Amino acid sequence: MADNEVRYPIIVDTDALIAAANTNLWSRLMETLNLTTTNVCYQELERHVRENSEYAPEGTREQWVHHGSKKALEPFANDENESFAVVPCVPRPHGEDAGEKSIRTEIEQNIDLYRFAILMDKHGRRSINRVFDDAEETTGKAVAPTFLLYLLLDADKCTVEEFCQACGEMLHGEGWTGYQAIQAAWEAIPVDCSEYLSDRLLS
């Protein structure tokens, strides 16, 4: 993996990449969207692959993280894939939420280049939205990982049914069962999935 100074307008953190890579739409996401992440997030994915067993029992968090991390690394690790970029974060953050912090640092330093920041943590999204709000002449927005799937739908690369089912996969796999988590997952997504998903995944 070589650091890439190309920056695409969608930047994605570690957990959001894992969540998206675990859906049936990941291959189409790779073919359709141009994505950026930081070297810190990339290294977090590598660590997840090392530390979580691929032989963990079906349906466990350990298996979900290993499988998603491994799939998410593939396009970023391919030097011939020019649509997925890894950018260096300086200064380099440390700690449990280093990846999320690196996304914020990258946006603060190059705010005019980013349209969407895709993050799992709601507090991280709020923090980055404050950065966007405080900046002049930017329309950037931090959104939940389900929005990455919506961008695929918006590009006419999947059907509404496929989109809704992939969102259901993500919600189930991430264990989003609380009201606030589910509400956050659908924020900014103007699609009615009630025909395809149970009520417990919609509100």
Side-chain angles (χ1 to χ4, degrees), residues 23 64 146 149 162-174 176 186 193 196-197 200-201:
T23 70
W64 174 267
T146 41
L149 303 176
E162 289 173 321
F163 162 75
C164 293
Q165 289 175 346
C167 286
E169 283 181 90
M170 188 182 288
L171 289 162
H172 179 75
E174 288 294 333
W176 291 344
W186 295 110
C193 285
Y196 307 105
L197 297 178
R200 67 183 180 80
L201 293 177

Side-chain angles (χ1 to χ4, degrees), residues 36-150:
T36 302
T37 197
T38 67
N39 61 333
V40 179
C41 292
Y42 183 92
Q43 287 158 11
E44 285 185 341
L45 291 170
E46 289 185 315
R47 190 183 76 245
H48 287 322
V49 172
R50 288 193 309 270
E51 295 179 356
N52 292 276
S53 173
E54 65 181 306
Y55 303 110
E58 184 77 26
T60 61
R61 179 68 184 171
E62 187 180 9
Q63 185 204 50
W64 174 267
V65 171
H66 176 92
H67 186 254
S69 297
K70 191 172 182 179
K71 288 182 70 176
L73 281 170
E74 291 172 2
F76 289 101
N78 182 355
D79 289 337
E80 296 181 3
N81 187 335
E82 298 181 352
S83 61
F84 279 53
V86 178
V87 296
C89 179
V90 181
R92 181 187 175 88
H94 297 279
E96 188 176 327
D97 57 351
E100 179 187 308
K101 289 177 181 175
S102 73
I103 298 290
R104 176 174 174 144
T105 298
E106 168 63 19
I107 289 172
E108 289 173 337
Q109 294 174 353
N110 299 282
I111 195 164
D112 57 321
L113 300 181
Y114 292 107
R115 184 179 176 200
F116 296 114
I118 314 288
L119 292 95
M120 181 68 71
D121 183 73
K122 69 175 181 180
H123 300 295
R125 293 195 299 270
R126 286 176 184 167
S127 175
I128 289 176
N129 274 326
R130 284 194 292 271
V131 174
F132 280 130
D133 291 343
D134 291 343
E136 296 181 2
E137 299 181 11
T138 180
T139 58
K141 185 171 180 62
V143 288
T146 41
F147 197 82
L148 202 54
L149 303 176
Y150 172 70

